[in-house]
Amino acid sequence: MTRLKLFVTRQLPRDVCDAVPADVSLAMYEHEKQAIPREELLARVAGARGIVTMLTERIDEEVMNAAGPQLAVISTMSVGFEHIDRGAAAQRGIVVCHTPDVLTETTADLVFALLLATARQLPQAERALREGQWGTWQPFQFLGTDVHGKTIGLLGMGGIAQAVARRARGFGMRILYWSRSRKSDVEETLGVTYSDLTTLLQASDFVVPLLPGGDATRHLIDQHALSRMKRNAMLINASRGSVVDEDALLQALQTRAIAGAGLDVFAREPIALTHPLLREERVVLLPHIGSATLETRTSMARRALENALLVMRGEAPFDRV
Ligand code: DGY
């Protein structure tokens, strides 16, 4: 009996891989800390019935052709799927899966942590302590801005935005949201108020995009949007780097058009060490760690494998895109 091949583009924990049944041959890029080189990806997907990928791989026609006509499923260990050419997959009848839900609460925790860290300048204060700049307690040192009682403006009202809204309620914040489709059902349960984009930008102390990447949201936060924000407002982005025009953001920070930014995602990842954003003191920068807890990354890995295995067995996956 020929075993179906499943190719995984990154090393996953052994106990997660134990779920792969004996009739499936598991091939994996055996590195955890680096992405598979393109040439190796193209060579190693050959003959695969399923591919489990990370968001670091571009899964386009070339990869699908290199895999061959038996490829039935591309399953990504991420909620975002803009790195997969869904049109090309659909043409070939390939099912695309992702891992929503399992990361919702964890990512909302990070969004809120980033918001608090940016508002209260936590990384800056911590760096100063380590560098011996504490001196003595000073009445006007490391002054941040309050979070409680302020207005948060959420762009999007999907699962993660709703989870962020629940946290914001706990902080006594006023919550505005804008989204392409109004979510009347959650307005009452979460106490969120729908707003047009311009009003939201003008009224919010914290502007928080929680939108998917891709053409529809590209540079939604551009120079025009930033110019609508209050001078003491902050931008918190842990969704996709493409949502924000980084050049415009840099200019807004340099001209003090806005007060700060917390960023977990960037147009290019990893961001270059020479990027001018790294020299901005009023910015908190994180290396795309929104869902990075042991529990959640393990659940995502399991789910990505399960989705692929289900399709390979001819069954419906949990999370078809
Ligand atoms: C995703 O899942 O798309 C996040 O960006 C990483 O968890």
PDB file of all heavy atoms in Angstrom, residues 24 35 71 77 102 128 132 175 196 221 228 239 250 258 271 274 280:
ATOM      1  N   VAL A  24       0.181   7.457   6.778  1.00  0.00           N
ATOM      2  CA  VAL A  24       0.635   8.724   6.182  1.00  0.00           C
ATOM      3  C   VAL A  24       2.144   8.842   6.373  1.00  0.00           C
ATOM      4  O   VAL A  24       2.659   8.608   7.464  1.00  0.00           O
ATOM      5  CB  VAL A  24      -0.074   9.933   6.848  1.00  0.00           C
ATOM      6  CG1 VAL A  24       0.548  11.252   6.414  1.00  0.00           C
ATOM      7  CG2 VAL A  24      -1.566   9.920   6.531  1.00  0.00           C
ATOM      8  N   ALA A  35      13.177  29.437   8.141  1.00  0.00           N
ATOM      9  CA  ALA A  35      12.184  29.059   7.125  1.00  0.00           C
ATOM     10  C   ALA A  35      12.861  28.222   6.043  1.00  0.00           C
ATOM     11  O   ALA A  35      14.046  28.408   5.746  1.00  0.00           O
ATOM     12  CB  ALA A  35      11.574  30.317   6.527  1.00  0.00           C
ATOM     13  N   LEU A  71      -2.011  16.853  -5.112  1.00  0.00           N
ATOM     14  CA  LEU A  71      -2.083  17.732  -3.926  1.00  0.00           C
ATOM     15  C   LEU A  71      -3.546  18.080  -3.622  1.00  0.00           C
ATOM     16  O   LEU A  71      -4.261  18.610  -4.470  1.00  0.00           O
ATOM     17  CB  LEU A  71      -1.285  19.022  -4.171  1.00  0.00           C
ATOM     18  CG  LEU A  71      -1.242  19.994  -2.979  1.00  0.00           C
ATOM     19  CD1 LEU A  71      -0.510  19.383  -1.786  1.00  0.00           C
ATOM     20  CD2 LEU A  71      -0.580  21.312  -3.374  1.00  0.00           C
ATOM     21  N   MET A  77      -0.532  26.993   9.458  1.00  0.00           N
ATOM     22  CA  MET A  77      -0.554  27.135  10.918  1.00  0.00           C
ATOM     23  C   MET A  77      -0.620  28.634  11.246  1.00  0.00           C
ATOM     24  O   MET A  77       0.291  29.220  11.807  1.00  0.00           O
ATOM     25  CB  MET A  77       0.718  26.500  11.501  1.00  0.00           C
ATOM     26  CG  MET A  77       0.750  26.471  13.021  1.00  0.00           C
ATOM     27  SD  MET A  77       2.331  25.833  13.630  1.00  0.00           S
ATOM     28  CE  MET A  77       2.517  26.824  15.109  1.00  0.00           C
ATOM     29  N   VAL A 102      -8.541  29.128  17.699  1.00  0.00           N
ATOM     30  CA  VAL A 102      -7.628  28.653  18.756  1.00  0.00           C
ATOM     31  C   VAL A 102      -6.676  29.756  19.228  1.00  0.00           C
ATOM     32  O   VAL A 102      -6.094  29.640  20.301  1.00  0.00           O
ATOM     33  CB  VAL A 102      -6.810  27.409  18.316  1.00  0.00           C
ATOM     34  CG1 VAL A 102      -7.698  26.197  18.183  1.00  0.00           C
ATOM     35  CG2 VAL A 102      -6.039  27.665  17.030  1.00  0.00           C
ATOM     36  N   ALA A 128      15.763  51.751  30.448  1.00  0.00           N
ATOM     37  CA  ALA A 128      16.454  52.799  31.218  1.00  0.00           C
ATOM     38  C   ALA A 128      16.971  52.233  32.541  1.00  0.00           C
ATOM     39  O   ALA A 128      18.091  52.535  32.957  1.00  0.00           O
ATOM     40  CB  ALA A 128      15.507  53.974  31.461  1.00  0.00           C
ATOM     41  N   GLY A 132      21.024  51.849  33.929  1.00  0.00           N
ATOM     42  CA  GLY A 132      21.449  52.625  35.097  1.00  0.00           C
ATOM     43  C   GLY A 132      20.925  54.040  35.118  1.00  0.00           C
ATOM     44  O   GLY A 132      21.500  54.927  35.750  1.00  0.00           O
ATOM     45  N   ILE A 175     -15.736  52.096  23.637  1.00  0.00           N
ATOM     46  CA  ILE A 175     -15.275  51.282  22.514  1.00  0.00           C
ATOM     47  C   ILE A 175     -16.020  51.639  21.233  1.00  0.00           C
ATOM     48  O   ILE A 175     -17.242  51.475  21.136  1.00  0.00           O
ATOM     49  CB  ILE A 175     -15.471  49.775  22.808  1.00  0.00           C
ATOM     50  CG1 ILE A 175     -14.876  49.418  24.174  1.00  0.00           C
ATOM     51  CG2 ILE A 175     -14.842  48.921  21.704  1.00  0.00           C
ATOM     52  CD1 ILE A 175     -15.329  48.070  24.708  1.00  0.00           C
ATOM     53  N   ASP A 196     -18.337  55.584  11.682  1.00  0.00           N
ATOM     54  CA  ASP A 196     -17.661  55.620  10.382  1.00  0.00           C
ATOM     55  C   ASP A 196     -16.164  55.809  10.638  1.00  0.00           C
ATOM     56  O   ASP A 196     -15.750  56.225  11.732  1.00  0.00           O
ATOM     57  CB  ASP A 196     -18.241  56.721   9.475  1.00  0.00           C
ATOM     58  CG  ASP A 196     -17.995  58.085  10.057  1.00  0.00           C
ATOM     59  OD1 ASP A 196     -16.881  58.589   9.916  1.00  0.00           O
ATOM     60  OD2 ASP A 196     -18.918  58.631  10.701  1.00  0.00           O
ATOM     61  N   ILE A 221      -4.420  52.395   6.857  1.00  0.00           N
ATOM     62  CA  ILE A 221      -3.861  53.466   7.690  1.00  0.00           C
ATOM     63  C   ILE A 221      -2.738  54.113   6.886  1.00  0.00           C
ATOM     64  O   ILE A 221      -1.583  53.654   6.894  1.00  0.00           O
ATOM     65  CB  ILE A 221      -3.351  52.911   9.037  1.00  0.00           C
ATOM     66  CG1 ILE A 221      -4.476  52.199   9.790  1.00  0.00           C
ATOM     67  CG2 ILE A 221      -2.755  54.036   9.889  1.00  0.00           C
ATOM     68  CD1 ILE A 221      -5.628  53.099  10.206  1.00  0.00           C
ATOM     69  N   ARG A 228      -5.915  62.238  10.487  1.00  0.00           N
ATOM     70  CA  ARG A 228      -7.205  62.415  11.185  1.00  0.00           C
ATOM     71  C   ARG A 228      -7.098  62.101  12.682  1.00  0.00           C
ATOM     72  O   ARG A 228      -7.971  62.447  13.454  1.00  0.00           O
ATOM     73  CB  ARG A 228      -8.265  61.462  10.613  1.00  0.00           C
ATOM     74  CG  ARG A 228      -8.477  61.588   9.138  1.00  0.00           C
ATOM     75  CD  ARG A 228      -9.555  62.599   8.926  1.00  0.00           C
ATOM     76  NE  ARG A 228      -9.514  63.064   7.556  1.00  0.00           N
ATOM     77  CZ  ARG A 228     -10.579  63.213   6.799  1.00  0.00           C
ATOM     78  NH1 ARG A 228     -11.756  62.941   7.285  1.00  0.00           N
ATOM     79  NH2 ARG A 228     -10.475  63.656   5.585  1.00  0.00           N
ATOM     80  N   SER A 239      -2.075  43.109  13.657  1.00  0.00           N
ATOM     81  CA  SER A 239      -2.833  42.310  12.676  1.00  0.00           C
ATOM     82  C   SER A 239      -1.931  41.951  11.494  1.00  0.00           C
ATOM     83  O   SER A 239      -1.334  40.868  11.486  1.00  0.00           O
ATOM     84  CB  SER A 239      -4.089  43.057  12.233  1.00  0.00           C
ATOM     85  OG  SER A 239      -3.780  44.335  11.683  1.00  0.00           O
ATOM     86  N   LEU A 250       5.917  56.649   9.995  1.00  0.00           N
ATOM     87  CA  LEU A 250       7.178  57.228  10.443  1.00  0.00           C
ATOM     88  C   LEU A 250       7.105  58.755  10.434  1.00  0.00           C
ATOM     89  O   LEU A 250       7.496  59.429  11.396  1.00  0.00           O
ATOM     90  CB  LEU A 250       8.293  56.742   9.503  1.00  0.00           C
ATOM     91  CG  LEU A 250       9.713  57.018   9.941  1.00  0.00           C
ATOM     92  CD1 LEU A 250      10.031  56.256  11.222  1.00  0.00           C
ATOM     93  CD2 LEU A 250      10.676  56.611   8.837  1.00  0.00           C
ATOM     94  N   ILE A 258       1.052  62.045  15.745  1.00  0.00           N
ATOM     95  CA  ILE A 258       0.445  61.126  16.710  1.00  0.00           C
ATOM     96  C   ILE A 258       1.477  60.886  17.820  1.00  0.00           C
ATOM     97  O   ILE A 258       2.670  61.176  17.650  1.00  0.00           O
ATOM     98  CB  ILE A 258      -0.017  59.780  16.093  1.00  0.00           C
ATOM     99  CG1 ILE A 258       1.160  58.930  15.600  1.00  0.00           C
ATOM    100  CG2 ILE A 258      -1.023  60.015  14.991  1.00  0.00           C
ATOM    101  CD1 ILE A 258       0.765  57.502  15.247  1.00  0.00           C
ATOM    102  N   ILE A 271      11.742  42.970  10.286  1.00  0.00           N
ATOM    103  CA  ILE A 271      12.056  44.341   9.900  1.00  0.00           C
ATOM    104  C   ILE A 271      13.579  44.520   9.918  1.00  0.00           C
ATOM    105  O   ILE A 271      14.262  43.959  10.784  1.00  0.00           O
ATOM    106  CB  ILE A 271      11.355  45.340  10.858  1.00  0.00           C
ATOM    107  CG1 ILE A 271      11.520  46.780  10.370  1.00  0.00           C
ATOM    108  CG2 ILE A 271      11.820  45.179  12.297  1.00  0.00           C
ATOM    109  CD1 ILE A 271      10.645  47.794  11.118  1.00  0.00           C
ATOM    110  N   THR A 274      18.191  48.340  10.201  1.00  0.00           N
ATOM    111  CA  THR A 274      18.482  49.717   9.803  1.00  0.00           C
ATOM    112  C   THR A 274      17.199  50.529   9.582  1.00  0.00           C
ATOM    113  O   THR A 274      17.254  51.710   9.241  1.00  0.00           O
ATOM    114  CB  THR A 274      19.262  49.710   8.476  1.00  0.00           C
ATOM    115  OG1 THR A 274      18.537  48.887   7.544  1.00  0.00           O
ATOM    116  CG2 THR A 274      20.662  49.163   8.650  1.00  0.00           C
ATOM    117  N   GLU A 280      12.980  55.272  16.536  1.00  0.00           N
ATOM    118  CA  GLU A 280      11.928  56.103  17.142  1.00  0.00           C
ATOM    119  C   GLU A 280      11.704  55.709  18.592  1.00  0.00           C
ATOM    120  O   GLU A 280      11.379  54.553  18.888  1.00  0.00           O
ATOM    121  CB  GLU A 280      10.615  55.949  16.358  1.00  0.00           C
ATOM    122  CG  GLU A 280      10.596  56.688  15.054  1.00  0.00           C
ATOM    123  CD  GLU A 280      10.797  58.181  15.232  1.00  0.00           C
ATOM    124  OE1 GLU A 280      10.066  58.796  16.015  1.00  0.00           O
ATOM    125  OE2 GLU A 280      11.712  58.729  14.595  1.00  0.00           O
TER     126      GLU A 280
END
